[in-house]
Amino acid sequence: MTSVGSASKSEQAYAWIRSRISGHAFGPGYRLVLGSIAEELGMSVVPVREAIRRLEAEGLVTFERNVGARVTLVDESEYAHTMQTLGLVEGAATALSAPLLDAAALDTAAEVNEQMSRMLGHLDAHAFTELNRQFHSVLFEPCPNPHLLDLVHRGWARLSGIRDSTFAYVPGRAQHSVEEHTQILELIRSGAEPLEIELAARNHRWRTRDAFLDALHNRSHQTLGEVS
């Protein structure tokens, strides 16, 4: 039987963890270590465990065998549809921006990509994600179509809560991402056809989507295999 004091602490733990999930302090895939949370809140692990079970029932937390509790990664369908749409609109925006990008802008993008390359041996998913955002912003912000640019911004905003976990969850994608950035820059510098640039930017986004979903499915299958 749960005491009133324990119930109160469980509610405190629930509110504290939930606020950090909703505020993206605990991003998708973040491991919830009961002992650390209990120490942070000055309570035992019992109410923390109760709070996490409640969050699991709400779909905000999932348990993985031999791993423990993690913030739920992503609504797979929402992620897939958002990335598909973003690939379309960002590809078009990048192609429209290309004629407006001068040498200085392209050099800036290349330097950001070089910073990303230097991080590959010791990947910091959050810092890498921020540099990735900076790189793409250089390429699509000059888009002369404000409606298209607004759709790009909306797409990035919808994904803001899961971008850190993409590279953390699929670290091998980071290397390919840097290489594809270089290819996109080469196309723009060489004055390639707009459609070629658009397809390169679109496929770059879609490859990230596919890598993430493949990793998600593989992990799900491994977990089911351990349980069966």
Side-chain angles (χ1 to χ4, degrees), residues 43 50 136 195:
M43 61 179 66
E50 292 172 352
H136 286 288
L195 181 58

Side-chain angles (χ1 to χ4, degrees), residues 17 21 42 52 59 86 105 107 111 127-128 131 138-140 153 164 167 180 203-204 209 220 222 227:
I17 298 169
I21 292 174
I52 287 178
L86 183 57
D107 287 346
E111 173 54 32
F128 191 89
L131 289 172
V138 172
L139 301 189
F140 66 65
H153 289 159
D164 283 5
F167 292 115
E180 289 164 20
N203 290 333
H204 169 65
R209 174 201 61 187
S220 296
Q222 289 170 6
V227 173

Side-chain angles (χ1 to χ4, degrees), residues 52-67:
I52 287 178
R53 285 174 178 163
R54 182 175 168 188
L55 291 163
E56 181 190 17
E58 294 178 0
L60 294 175
V61 170
T62 56
F63 278 90
E64 291 184 35
R65 187 182 178 89
N66 300 323
V67 175

Side-chain angles (χ1 to χ4, degrees), residues 188-200:
I188 296 174
R189 286 187 190 278
S190 67
E193 289 295 322
L195 181 58
E196 190 174 2
I197 295 170
E198 178 176 347
L199 290 175

Side-chain angles (χ1 to χ4, degrees), residues 78-79 81-87 89-90 140 147-163 205:
E78 173 72 10
Y79 174 80
H81 292 156
T82 301
M83 285 291 277
Q84 182 180 50
T85 303
L86 183 57
V89 297
E90 187 179 339
F140 66 65
H147 300 294
L148 189 59
L149 189 58
D150 179 62
L151 291 174
V152 176
H153 289 159
R154 287 170 182 261
W156 277 78
R158 289 177 76 115
L159 292 168
S160 63
I162 64 174
R163 286 198 169 274
R205 181 70 53 225

Side-chain angles (χ1 to χ4, degrees), residues 6 16 23 32 46 53 61 63-64 70 74 78 99-100 114 120-121 130 133 159 164-165 167 173 180 185 193 200-201:
S6 176
W16 187 85
L32 298 168
V46 174
R53 285 174 178 163
V61 170
F63 278 90
E64 291 184 35
R70 287 185 183 275
V74 65
E78 173 72 10
L100 305 176
E114 178 59 31
L120 292 175
E130 175 56 25
R133 184 195 63 77
L159 292 168
D164 283 5
S165 69
F167 292 115
R173 177 58 191 156
E180 289 164 20
L185 286 176
E193 289 295 322

